[in-house]
Amino acid sequence: MTDLPNQLIDTLRTARHVVALTGAGVSQESGLNTFRDAQVGFWAQYRPEDLATPQAFERDPQLVWDWYAMRRTQARAAAPNPGHLALAEMASLFKSFTLLTQNVDGLHQRAGSPAVIELHGSIQNVRCASCSLHYDSWQETSGEVPHCPACAGLLRPNVVWFGESLPSAALQSALDATQACDLFFSIGTSGLVHPAASLAYAALEHGACLVEINATETPLTAHATHALTGSSGQLLPAILNAYHAAR
Ligand code: BV8
């Protein structure tokens, strides 16, 4: 049985507006590499942060397209884990629950989370690198980077690369929910990538309770009201069970 601070459960029982921010660690137990994990095989020679940039796509669109095609295949073959499922159940427990994710794998939606704010986009759809038209499906070629049916430009994953701005509507929704929350969860994220990483501090600034759930310490750990070290796939269901047991 996971030993959880009583005060955390009391806070959860009285919370009205809850925000959860997730990172790659939430999908780790679904078998998907985090950004910190070393890449394997052919991709071991590359750092994710060197591939997830407009410059990398400009320099070698085929290489970047192939990296995302591999990750898309892995994401589609993966299953949501108990951490995703617990977050989906949390959506109905509070006056408001806002799920923010840095992940692009689509597993929160497949776990049944009714509303997911994808701060860094999704690998499940693409957009034209020239005219920006979005496509949920596209004509897979025999491996080459597909072209936009409208303008023949190159298609690219519909994700936010380093040096690119986050979708303004998603970021504004995240900021609004963070400003209004009384409880903020930071789950499975190293808290190194901005502006997503700044949300937890914004929650703290207006007095929200900050709960970090992460396998390792992060720059946020020392600031958290409750810092739970461990796997989100175990800790989130344990928190949910303790919440229900306290009724
Ligand atoms: C921008 C999509 C304006 C693509 C990603 C302010 C300060 C400093 C730097 C900046 C700043 N503002 C902007 C920057 C630059 C940059 C940045 O933050 N750089 C960092 C590296 C210093 N930010 C940007 O460029 C952003 N754009 O701000 O626009 C602008 C415009 C022009 C010029 C400047 C600014 C865009 C950032 C988005 C980049 N895209 N993803 C793709 O997925 O391919 S980021 C990508 O990396 C992820 O989405 C994620 O956000 C990040 C990785 O972080 P995590 O998800 O936390 O994953 P990580 O592996 O790091 O950690 C996982 C954690 O889980 C670990 O701690 C591990 O211990 C834990 N864990 C593992 N297993 C488990 C677990 N925990 C629990 N249970 C487990 N089982």
Side-chain angles (χ1 to χ4, degrees):
M1 178 70 181
T2 309
D3 184 23
L4 297 169
N6 290 332
Q7 192 197 359
L8 164 59
I9 304 308
D10 293 344
T11 304
L12 206 55
R13 300 271 329 128
T14 55
R16 293 167 49 76
H17 301 286
V18 176
V19 171
L21 170 68
T22 66
V26 161
S27 296
Q28 188 267 342
E29 288 159 274
S30 296
L32 299 183
N33 262 3
T34 72
F35 264 63
R36 288 324 107 188
D37 288 338
Q39 298 207 96
V40 295
F42 168 76
W43 300 105
Q45 60 190 301
Y46 299 99
R47 294 188 319 150
E49 47 271 40
D50 296 334
L51 291 171
T53 69
Q55 295 76 12
F57 186 74
E58 183 79 29
R59 193 171 47 246
D60 189 342
Q62 187 67 55
L63 179 74
V64 175
W65 178 265
D66 291 347
W67 184 51
Y68 282 93
M70 176 275 290
R71 290 174 62 197
R72 188 180 303 115
T73 302
Q74 287 181 336
R76 286 178 178 168
N81 66 60
H84 292 110
L85 298 171
L87 286 167
E89 187 181 331
M90 281 187 185
S92 57
L93 301 183
F94 307 99
K95 185 168 174 47
S96 76
F97 181 84
T98 305
L99 180 58
L100 312 173
T101 189
Q102 300 170 91
N103 299 338
V104 297
D105 55 37
L107 286 179
H108 284 304
Q109 290 90 332
R110 287 174 50 201
S113 288
V116 183
I117 297 178
E118 292 177 312
L119 295 173
H120 294 161
S122 168
I123 51 172
Q124 301 305 347
N125 50 65
V126 298
R127 71 172 189 264
C128 176
S130 303
C131 71
S132 297
L133 270 179
H134 283 62
Y135 297 94
D136 288 332
S137 61
W138 56 92
Q139 187 62 42
E140 277 296 357
T141 57
S142 55
E144 286 87 45
V145 183
H147 288 263
C148 170
C151 78
L154 288 178
L155 296 182
R156 56 159 283 179
N158 191 29
V159 298
V160 178
W161 280 330
F162 287 100
E164 294 184 325
S165 299
L166 276 59
S168 48
L171 184 54
Q172 192 55 58
S173 300
L175 290 167
D176 293 346
T178 298
Q179 289 304 337
C181 76
D182 42 16
L183 175 56
F184 188 103
F185 282 101
S186 178
I187 310 166
T189 179
S190 59
L192 298 173
V193 174
H194 290 265
S198 62
L199 294 170
Y201 299 97
L204 277 173
E205 270 166 28
H206 75 264
C209 171
L210 174 62
V211 180
E212 180 182 51
I213 296 170
N214 206 61
T216 58
E217 276 208 8
T218 73
L220 191 61
T221 306
H223 304 274
T225 317
H226 302 289
L228 308 180
T229 302
S231 74
S232 51
Q234 289 173 358
L235 285 168
L236 284 167
I239 289 168
L240 205 52
N241 292 338
Y243 170 90
H244 288 307
R247 279 205 290 195

